[in-house]
Amino acid sequence: WVRREFASRQLTEMRLTPGVKFVWENPALTWGHPICSNRNSIVKRFLQTDCDFLMMQDDDIVPLHNPAELVFADVDVVGCPAKVRQEGYQLNWVAFVKDESGNGYVPCDLSRCPSDSDLVAVDVVGTGLICVRRNVIESIPAPFMDTFDKDGLRELGTDFAFCERAKAKGFKIFTAPYRVCEHIKEQ
């Protein structure tokens, strides 16, 4: 299903974006769990097209901009910051950088970004609204998979694991600090 907050404006804008071929994915093909299976099913169908970029948007993400314009950033991976909230308080923007030790991650403080920053290099972006260049997808088999330790316990979720795999292959990860999204489920 499609949220009315998204369909009322952004869907029309995306379809009318000059230079962008808009392909609507049948929601019946992408519903189910786990989420990594859904994302990899989308990837499989994407690779059967001649499109240059894959953009995925979760049904609980409502961009406050035209997400189709992300293709013009022309970068490897760009994710839009989505507000993560708990009990009405904003916790972070779903964009992370390595911590001082280099072993973990901390939320990127986007309030410190200059107001003219269209893109900011980060280590991890959320996959709630993400745009990925085709060659990134082609170079990572089953790109959207969680990682598990030897005991079968999850170490990294889909977002973090994908970004680590992409960075290991030499690709650059960005967030677009002023292309904010609402994360409806978290409100």
Side-chain angles (χ1 to χ4, degrees), residues 36-180:
C36 56
S37 178
N38 290 341
R39 294 196 196 292
N40 286 315
S41 293
I42 293 167
V43 164
K44 188 175 179 179
R45 288 188 298 279
F46 165 75
L47 291 173
Q48 295 170 358
T49 73
D50 63 349
C51 295
D52 297 320
F53 290 91
L54 168 64
M55 187 188 84
M56 291 190 290
Q57 177 180 334
D58 290 355
D59 65 353
D60 61 352
I61 296 293
V62 177
L64 304 178
H65 62 283
N66 178 357
E69 294 173 347
L70 291 173
V71 300
F72 301 117
D74 202 25
V75 295
D76 297 329
V77 177
V78 59
C80 289
K83 296 177 184 180
V84 174
R85 301 174 192 263
Q86 187 173 25
E87 297 177 10
Y89 295 100
Q90 180 177 320
L91 301 178
N92 64 47
W93 290 98
V94 193
F96 296 86
V97 292
K98 286 277 190 180
D99 66 13
E100 291 178 9
S101 72
N103 296 320
Y105 296 95
V106 295
C108 183
D109 185 356
L110 298 179
S111 69
R112 296 179 182 245
C113 296
S115 60
D116 62 347
S117 298
D118 193 40
L119 296 175
V120 173
V122 294
D123 293 303
V124 172
V125 291
T127 52
L129 177 49
I130 191 167
C131 184
V132 184
R133 188 189 304 274
R134 182 182 197 90
N135 64 326
V136 176
I137 298 292
E138 290 173 335
S139 71
I140 305 171
F144 294 102
M145 294 294 295
D146 297 351
T147 59
F148 298 88
D149 69 10
K150 63 179 179 54
D151 297 318
L153 302 174
R154 190 170 86 154
E155 292 181 312
L156 293 174
T158 304
D159 310 30
F160 283 81
F162 166 71
C163 290
E164 282 197 356
R165 289 179 185 114
K167 286 190 69 110
K169 296 272 188 177
F171 296 111
K172 306 285 188 229
I173 313 291
F174 294 90
T175 192
Y178 298 104
R179 294 179 181 265
V180 177

